[in-house]
Amino acid sequence: SETTSILNELAERLNDITENSDELRNIQVGYLATATGLASGRCTVCKRVSEASLHFLSRFQYQLTKDPTLQEQIGKSGGLCPFHSWMYESIGSPQGIAQAYAVVLENLAERLENLISRGVEEKISDELMRLLPGPETCRVCQIASKAEDGALREFVEAESPAGSAQNMCFMHLVRLVRRLRDAETTKNWI
């Protein structure tokens, strides 16, 4: 399917940039687990996260090309995280992305100039990593987190798998079990 091919391409790109970065590699594990769950068509939570993310991005990519205030906000936050930038790229037009991300690149260039002028001597790679937007500033990460939380909350409230456990990837099963209240309910889910 188209979603599977997009996720596979995103996973490959994410793998390419994380070869030398432990911090990004840790983030990658969660994204790849989500991508695997979605690509297999089995995980209900992954599906909810993906749908919420793509729905947000489809509206966001249009708004970002038209709204200078939103462009400035995104520019100041550093844009989207690497994973969601690639998702954005997969649905946006090159012209729209270039127009929308001009402010992001201007702000990044300014932050790089500041970094150089401060004369950072040690661990330049750590300083550069801090320039990358992460889950705390990425709007899509925030949407995805809310979607995941909502889906897991529904499972917790159901208190019984009722066939749902077979539709959950291992990562989300672990996250669900962490939320359960008692051993008996946990055994029912596992």
Side-chain angles (χ1 to χ4, degrees):
S1 80
E2 184 178 348
T3 302
T4 301
S5 66
I6 289 171
L7 288 171
N8 288 334
E9 181 180 341
L10 292 174
E12 287 175 29
R13 287 184 182 186
L14 191 56
N15 191 46
D16 290 344
I17 70 157
T18 60
E19 286 180 10
N20 298 315
S21 170
D22 290 335
E23 185 177 336
L24 280 178
R25 192 173 299 113
N26 291 336
I27 294 169
Q28 177 189 24
V29 170
Y31 286 134
L32 290 180
T34 301
T36 302
L38 179 63
S40 68
R42 296 189 185 133
C43 181
T44 304
V45 181
C46 288
K47 182 178 179 186
R48 182 96 56 95
V49 167
S50 177
E51 288 171 351
S53 298
L54 290 173
H55 176 74
F56 175 81
L57 276 172
S58 66
R59 290 180 296 120
F60 178 75
Q61 59 100 16
Y62 174 76
Q63 292 169 339
L64 196 53
T65 61
K66 301 295 181 193
D67 186 348
T69 304
L70 182 59
Q71 290 172 11
E72 190 63 35
Q73 290 170 352
I74 293 300
K76 286 182 180 170
S77 72
L80 304 174
C81 72
F83 180 78
H84 289 121
S85 291
W86 293 318
M87 284 183 80
Y88 171 56
E89 178 196 15
S90 74
I91 65 169
S93 70
Q95 279 183 311
I97 293 168
Q99 177 186 355
Y101 256 59
V103 177
V104 172
L105 295 176
E106 288 169 9
N107 284 330
L108 180 60
E110 184 179 310
R111 291 168 70 193
L112 285 169
E113 285 176 17
N114 289 339
L115 181 66
I116 292 168
S117 69
R118 284 196 335 245
V120 176
E121 296 172 13
E122 292 185 30
K123 294 286 186 176
I124 190 80
S125 63
D126 291 344
E127 291 289 327
L128 290 172
M129 285 300 297
R130 286 188 196 98
L131 296 179
L132 280 176
E136 63 283 344
T137 59
C138 174
R139 291 181 181 214
V140 187
C141 282
Q142 294 163 5
I143 295 292
S145 179
K146 286 178 185 174
E148 178 186 65
D149 183 60
L152 290 173
R153 193 174 334 107
E154 288 175 20
F155 283 117
V156 168
E157 291 168 1
E159 293 186 11
S160 171
S164 300
Q166 67 198 23
N167 295 326
M168 194 175 299
C169 68
F170 189 72
M171 180 184 76
H172 284 123
L173 180 61
V174 169
R175 289 182 180 173
L176 172 68
V177 166
R178 287 181 180 157
R179 294 171 177 232
L180 297 174
R181 295 181 272 283
D182 61 66
E184 189 61 35
T185 304
T186 301
K187 281 197 296 188
N188 287 340
W189 278 99
I190 294 174

